[in-house]
Amino acid sequence: MNEISNKYKPRLRDGVDIYLESENDVTFVYLASRKRIKFRCHPLLIKSLSWLTGEFSIEELNCRLINLSCEDFLVNNGFSEFIKNLYKKGILISEHWIEEISLPCFYKKRLERQLNFLLDITDSSNEVARIQSKIYQAKIAIFGVGSVGSWLCRELVMMGFHNFLLVDYGIVSEFDISRHGFFEQKAIGFQKTEVAKQMILDIDQEACVQVLDHALTIDSDLETLLLGIDFIIDTADEPYIGYTGLKLSRYCVKHKKPLMIAGGFDAHLGSLGELIIPGDTPCADCYNTFFKESLKDWKPISHPVKDRRSSFGGLVSLSVLAASTSAMTILRYFINPTATFEGERGELLFDDYDLSVFPVPKNPTCSVCSNLDNER
């Protein structure tokens, strides 16, 4: 906003509190994000904040200042600059800014709180419109809609993601009551993908949801399956997320598509997975090499029980944690795809809520992703 029309009617947005620290210092606190911005300015400018209701134009507000002050600079320049700075920070906003976003009305109404949160983060209604439109248009593939994947489905559709491909071959069982985000007694015996699809449609009846009852294997044709997909998520822990992650990562590196590997690391349901951005972060092969080297001195004794999958413990809150941290990471990516994302894997330890995080560097000799740096 380089120039401000005298007819512009500035309005303070609802989601910001104002605190007076001295006659010249005022702090704005964004309620959703807790971000703080401090201004040092003339006391009359601070007084003028109570006038910014959207009812009065710049011209009318200037007249008020003229009646209160004979300082020409304050009236002729200071107030306009003050208004311009408040607008740049998202403290002033058009009363109808959400209505002006070119997205369906029912969709914007459902996401009004998120849109206000994004305004806190970006300071720009234009940026909010860009981000949410990108989310609305993105095509998301989710492999695995079990204890982590089902909650991630729920959170992503609540955040406004609208186009899904769900891939899973599992069937809802009575044991899924303890962790799955879509569980209902009437769902027992149905395909997980179909139940997850209905959960998404219950939240967004206009969502586009494709399902594939398919087990991801070494022979799966990802070239056909993922055609047109923008963002890929792996929570498939069968046969093992290490294998599914490698296959999907190699595809994503080749096609330069982002991949979120979320939870499902054996029984570690408090795991915080990794976002793989080809060329920027380590790929799954880098992670595999790193942990093979880091754990080379760990030599577990062969366990007498061969198939131990049904004996792993689980807690729904840890599954939701894994899904929620992944959902927030995905949102951060859509806010700014060029932001720096570190290679790391984390785990919340239940006993003391300690967050154990392992930094993972890119492997400079990785046969899968090391050549991407030279292509950029």
Side-chain angles (χ1 to χ4, degrees), residues 67-87:
N67 292 332
L68 293 175
S69 172
C70 56
E71 297 181 44
D72 290 340
F73 173 79
L74 177 64
V75 174
N76 296 329
N77 298 298
F79 184 62
S80 292
E81 286 301 311
F82 184 57
I83 293 296
K84 187 184 297 184
N85 287 330
L86 293 179
Y87 188 90

Side-chain angles (χ1 to χ4, degrees), residues 260 273-275 324-334 341:
M260 185 79 220
E274 53 262 19
L275 176 61
S324 297
T325 53
S326 296
M328 286 187 283
T329 300
I330 292 167
L331 179 59
R332 282 179 53 223
Y333 174 82
F334 275 81
F341 291 90

Side-chain angles (χ1 to χ4, degrees), residues 344-368:
E344 59 185 20
R345 184 179 294 172
E347 181 177 19
L348 181 74
L349 303 179
F350 179 78
D351 284 349
D352 54 7
Y353 299 153
D354 180 47
L355 188 59
S356 178
V357 177
F358 302 91
V360 178
K362 289 182 69 175
N363 179 3
T365 63
C366 177
S367 61
V368 175

Side-chain angles (χ1 to χ4, degrees), residues 99-111:
E99 296 172 25
E100 294 163 4
I101 298 175
S102 298
L103 287 169
C105 291
F106 72 89
Y107 178 84
K108 291 183 293 187
K109 184 175 180 60
R110 176 167 67 85
L111 293 166

Side-chain angles (χ1 to χ4, degrees), residues 301-315:
I301 297 174
S302 180
H303 199 282
V305 178
K306 300 303 180 184
D307 186 354
R308 303 165 61 203
R309 288 173 294 180
S310 64
S311 63
F312 286 142
L315 191 64

Side-chain angles (χ1 to χ4, degrees), residues 123 192 372:
D123 297 333
K192 289 184 177 181
L372 285 182

Side-chain angles (χ1 to χ4, degrees), residues 21-303:
E21 297 188 19
S22 72
E23 67 173 4
N24 294 105
D25 295 298
V26 62
T27 297
F28 299 90
V29 179
Y30 295 67
L31 295 180
S33 65
R34 312 311 295 170
K35 181 170 67 176
R36 295 167 179 253
I37 295 178
K38 185 174 182 178
F39 279 79
R40 172 163 279 245
C41 54
H42 194 285
L44 279 179
L45 293 180
I46 294 176
K47 180 178 178 64
S48 73
L49 291 171
S50 62
W51 306 341
L52 306 182
T53 61
E55 302 172 81
F56 308 105
S57 67
I58 296 287
E59 189 174 45
E60 292 170 318
L61 295 172
N62 261 323
C63 288
R64 285 196 183 187
L65 281 177
I66 290 171
N67 292 332
L68 293 175
S69 172
C70 56
E71 297 181 44
D72 290 340
F73 173 79
L74 177 64
V75 174
N76 296 329
N77 298 298
F79 184 62
S80 292
E81 286 301 311
F82 184 57
I83 293 296
K84 187 184 297 184
N85 287 330
L86 293 179
Y87 188 90
K88 286 179 179 177
K89 296 296 183 183
I91 296 169
L92 292 178
I93 195 69
S94 165
E95 183 176 2
H96 305 292
W97 73 275
I98 292 180
E99 296 172 25
E100 294 163 4
I101 298 175
S102 298
L103 287 169
C105 291
F106 72 89
Y107 178 84
K108 291 183 293 187
K109 184 175 180 60
R110 176 167 67 85
L111 293 166
E112 186 172 330
R113 291 199 176 199
Q114 175 169 304
L115 296 175
N116 278 293
F117 179 82
L118 290 176
L119 185 62
D120 278 8
I121 302 299
T122 64
D123 297 333
S124 166
S125 58
N126 290 334
E127 272 296 283
V128 174
R130 180 192 67 81
I131 293 163
Q132 200 62 52
S133 296
K134 189 176 178 183
I135 287 172
Y136 180 76
Q137 295 164 6
K139 296 180 179 178
I140 307 292
I142 304 178
F143 288 84
V145 288
S147 60
V148 175
S150 60
W151 289 105
L152 191 46
C153 283
R154 180 180 287 277
E155 293 193 32
L156 291 179
V157 70
M158 284 182 167
M159 288 163 53
F161 287 94
H162 187 72
N163 300 287
F164 295 89
L165 169 65
L166 309 180
V167 185
D168 197 315
Y169 68 95
I171 294 175
V172 180
S173 77
E174 59 183 317
F175 301 107
D176 295 329
I177 191 172
S178 63
R179 296 204 309 265
H180 286 47
F182 52 62
F183 187 85
E184 293 182 309
Q185 288 289 337
K186 65 182 181 181
I188 294 174
F190 287 88
Q191 293 287 342
K192 289 184 177 181
T193 51
E194 291 293 344
V195 180
K197 175 181 178 178
Q198 189 56 54
M199 175 185 69
I200 290 172
L201 293 175
D202 285 344
I203 298 168
D204 178 4
Q205 62 182 0
E206 302 294 330
C208 178
V209 188
Q210 296 176 284
V211 299
L212 182 61
D213 301 324
H214 171 80
L216 182 60
T217 70
I218 194 171
D219 298 319
S220 297
D221 179 11
L222 297 182
E223 297 291 339
T224 302
L225 181 61
L226 295 176
L227 188 65
I229 296 294
D230 301 304
F231 195 101
I232 298 160
I233 299 168
D234 181 24
T235 71
D237 58 359
E238 292 184 14
Y240 171 55
I241 199 164
Y243 302 148
T244 58
L246 282 173
K247 183 173 178 66
L248 289 170
S249 174
R250 290 169 185 173
Y251 168 87
C252 288
V253 169
K254 177 181 176 182
H255 294 277
K256 297 182 180 178
K257 294 184 179 183
L259 168 67
M260 185 79 220
I261 301 180
F265 299 98
D266 291 331
H268 305 300
L269 295 177
S271 292
L272 313 183
E274 53 262 19
L275 176 61
I276 294 173
I277 304 174
D280 290 339
T281 68
C283 70
D285 281 88
C286 292
Y287 277 90
N288 193 39
T289 300
F290 174 81
F291 282 106
K292 275 186 178 178
E293 178 63 24
S294 301
L295 302 175
K296 64 183 179 181
D297 294 328
W298 285 69
K299 298 178 180 178
I301 297 174
S302 180
H303 199 282

